[in-house]
């Protein structure tokens, strides 16, 4: 990481003596100023105005703010210091032991819900069963309920994770957002969280669902060590980021489409979707290269189950990329796979039967502008 310019540090200190601390993780002045503003607002909302610092006559809020800035300088994620992260209109509590929700995850979750809402407005969907695997904080399950509840009377959403701390946090997020009016009260009956092991194929009940969505661990050990930010490596749970190697031990050359480090979860997820008779499957991926491996692996193992696959990219404000047809993705190089949006590939989406009609709004949302 390049060193900060002395002139930049001096300029930051002239604006506010705390800003140089935040320059370390932020690397630029606008980001550091935003973080200082958020931390200051957080302290003002949580510290008694009349309390005094144990180290002198300064207000306790000043001491607390300096402590938070120092922790941020050491790499502690901002969301852990603030205690939460916005996700749609929800406020998702964040603690060590569960992955911090990302904007890219919010994008495809919102897109999926928008397509279902558009369909429900034309042809009512009286009931939906949604299975959210590797649920973490529960953010996907809870945002889907928040968006779909006004349009689908009978929702049943099950979030599954192997981590007890993550499940505790997911349940806390359900209660927190109901308490503050961000979720309807019936979410307490329609959303539940339970322990399960995706790789072992062990799920609560029978795993039956209309829609399976998952944000599994998908970063290879080598990429985790070389490319993830320090705050991610040091503070967020590796369990939620890096899957076990498919054959144990160090990474080895691939001998199959999904037989590479980072892809371990996708075949088990596909099997669980088929076992549960899912009509739609949405799987988050690290990028376009992994997305195409996942599509090819799905086709290789279950071509006759799915009617089509496509890749959703993480920028829906850019132009649409379109390759071939959404029908019958061909494992030979991924021909026939349509790409929607711009930027990095973020989700592999498969459907069968009426699932295609449910997704019709996504497939029409952006008019094709180019082929690549």
């Amino acid at each position: 990481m390049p060193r900060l310019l002395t002139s930049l540090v001096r300029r930051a200190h002239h604006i506010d003596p705390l800003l140089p601390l935040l320059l370390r993780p932020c690397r630029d002045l606008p980001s550091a100023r935003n973080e200082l503003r958020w931390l200051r607002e957080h302290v003002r909302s949580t510290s008694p105005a009349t309390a005094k610092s144990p180290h002198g006559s300064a207000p306790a809020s000043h001491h607390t703010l300096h402590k938070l800035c120092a922790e941020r300088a050491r790499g502690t994620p901002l969301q852990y210091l603030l205690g939460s992260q916005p996700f749609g209109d929800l406020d998702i509590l964040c603690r060590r032991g569960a992955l911090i929700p990302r904007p890219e995850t919010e994008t495809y979750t919102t897109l999926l819900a928008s397509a279902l809402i558009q369909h429900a407005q034309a042809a009512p969907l009286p009931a939906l069963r949604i299975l959210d695997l590797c649920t973490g904080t529960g953010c996907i399950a809870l945002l889907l309920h928040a968006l779909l509840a006004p349009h689908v009377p009978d929702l049943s959403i099950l979030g599954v994770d192997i981590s007890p701390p993550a499940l505790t946090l997911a349940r806390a997020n359900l209660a927190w957002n109901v308490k503050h009016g961000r979720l309807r009260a019936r979410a307490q009956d329609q959303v539940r969280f339970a322990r399960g092991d995706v790789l072992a194929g062990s799920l609560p009940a029978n795993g039956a669902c209309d829609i399976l969505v998952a944000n599994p661990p998908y970063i290879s050990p080598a990429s985790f060590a070389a490319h993830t930010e320090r705050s991610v490596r040091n503070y967020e749970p590796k369990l939620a980021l890096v899957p076990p190697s498919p054959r144990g031990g160090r990474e080895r050359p691939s001998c199959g489409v999904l037989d590479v480090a980072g892809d371990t979860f996708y075949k088990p997820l596909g099997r669980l979707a088929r076992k549960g008779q899912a009509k739609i499957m949405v799987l988050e991926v690290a990028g376009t290269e992994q997305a195409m491996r996942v599509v090819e692996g799905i086709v290789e193992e279950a071509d006759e189950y799915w009617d089509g696959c496509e890749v959703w990219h993480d920028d829906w404000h850019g132009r649409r990329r379109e390759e071939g047809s959404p029908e019958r993705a061909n494992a030979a190089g991924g021909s026939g796979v349509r790409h929607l949006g711009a930027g990095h590939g973020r989700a592999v989406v498969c459907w069968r039967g009426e699932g295609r009609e449910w997704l019709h709004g996504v497939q029409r949302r952006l008019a094709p502008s180019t082929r690549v």
Side-chain angles (χ1 to χ4, degrees):
M1 181 182 295
R3 295 177 60 182
L4 292 168
L5 295 175
T6 302
S7 59
L8 179 62
V9 176
R10 286 175 178 168
R11 182 183 172 197
H13 187 273
H14 179 73
I15 296 170
D16 191 296
L18 293 175
L19 274 178
L21 288 171
L22 299 177
L23 272 178
R24 297 178 196 173
C26 294
R27 313 305 296 176
D28 66 77
L29 195 52
S31 297
R33 294 182 76 166
N34 277 335
E35 290 205 0
L36 181 58
R37 174 170 56 85
W38 293 327
L39 288 168
R40 184 169 277 128
E41 290 171 356
H42 171 71
V43 170
R44 285 173 179 166
S45 66
T46 56
S47 297
T50 57
K52 299 294 183 181
S53 166
H55 303 292
S57 59
S61 58
H62 180 79
H63 173 74
T64 302
L65 180 60
H66 188 279
K67 181 180 177 182
L68 290 175
C69 289
E71 288 186 42
R72 182 71 181 112
R74 289 191 291 269
T76 304
L78 179 69
Q79 294 86 346
Y80 288 165
L81 298 176
L82 298 177
S84 66
Q85 166 69 23
F87 197 75
D89 289 336
L90 302 181
D91 186 41
I92 299 297
L93 303 174
C94 297
R95 301 171 191 156
R96 295 190 70 164
L99 194 67
I100 296 168
R102 265 53 175 187
E104 298 85 0
T105 305
E106 178 186 334
T107 295
Y108 72 74
T109 302
T110 303
L111 187 61
L112 172 63
S114 297
L116 295 169
I117 290 168
Q118 184 173 331
H119 178 81
Q121 290 171 339
L125 283 171
L128 272 180
R129 299 166 301 166
I130 299 174
L131 184 60
D132 173 28
L133 300 181
C134 308
T135 192
T137 60
C139 58
I140 294 175
L142 298 178
L143 183 56
L144 285 175
H145 191 280
L147 296 172
L148 293 174
H151 308 276
V152 183
D154 185 10
L155 270 176
S156 175
I157 303 179
L158 173 62
V160 176
D161 206 287
I162 197 171
S163 166
L167 290 169
T168 298
L169 183 56
R171 295 182 183 114
N173 272 314
L174 170 59
W176 174 258
N177 282 280
V178 169
K179 177 182 177 181
H180 290 275
R182 300 182 183 95
L183 282 172
R184 298 186 176 214
R186 62 185 172 102
Q188 296 178 98
D189 299 318
Q190 295 182 336
V191 181
R192 65 188 183 94
F193 298 99
R195 193 168 189 269
D197 186 341
V198 169
L199 293 181
S202 173
L203 297 182
N206 61 5
C209 60
D210 299 305
I211 299 170
L212 183 147
V213 60
N215 179 10
Y218 53 64
I219 301 175
S220 72
S223 182
F224 179 80
H227 302 300
T228 55
E229 296 178 4
R230 182 184 63 165
S231 63
V232 174
R233 293 194 304 273
N234 292 346
Y235 292 91
E236 296 195 65
K238 190 175 181 181
L239 177 70
L241 294 161
V242 181
S245 176
R247 291 179 298 280
R250 295 180 301 173
E251 293 183 64
R252 303 172 189 173
S254 168
C255 62
V257 174
L258 289 179
D259 192 21
V260 297
D263 295 347
T264 308
F265 272 79
Y266 293 108
K267 279 189 176 180
L269 286 167
R271 294 182 192 120
L272 290 170
R274 299 195 302 275
K275 180 182 177 182
Q277 294 293 294
K279 300 176 179 68
I280 294 173
M281 177 173 70
V282 181
L283 306 178
E284 182 166 331
V285 293
T288 306
E289 183 178 341
Q290 187 176 54
M292 296 314 299
R293 288 200 307 271
V294 172
V295 170
E296 292 176 26
I298 288 168
V299 172
E300 180 182 83
E301 189 167 88
D303 184 39
E304 296 306 315
Y305 183 83
W306 300 108
D307 293 333
C309 296
E310 60 192 17
V311 177
W312 293 356
H313 289 245
D314 54 16
D315 180 6
W316 283 82
H317 299 288
R319 67 182 184 178
R320 168 179 172 167
R321 300 172 55 216
E322 185 176 36
E323 298 177 4
S325 160
E327 301 304 329
R328 289 290 180 210
N330 187 319
S335 61
V337 180
R338 187 161 60 179
H339 292 248
L340 302 182
H344 299 290
R346 190 55 59 193
V348 170
V349 183
C350 303
W351 64 86
R352 69 181 184 95
E354 60 187 326
R356 177 178 180 176
E357 295 303 315
W358 296 355
L359 292 173
H360 194 52
V362 172
Q363 294 165 356
R364 290 178 51 190
R365 180 169 174 175
L366 295 177
S369 58
T370 186
R371 289 181 181 272
V372 294

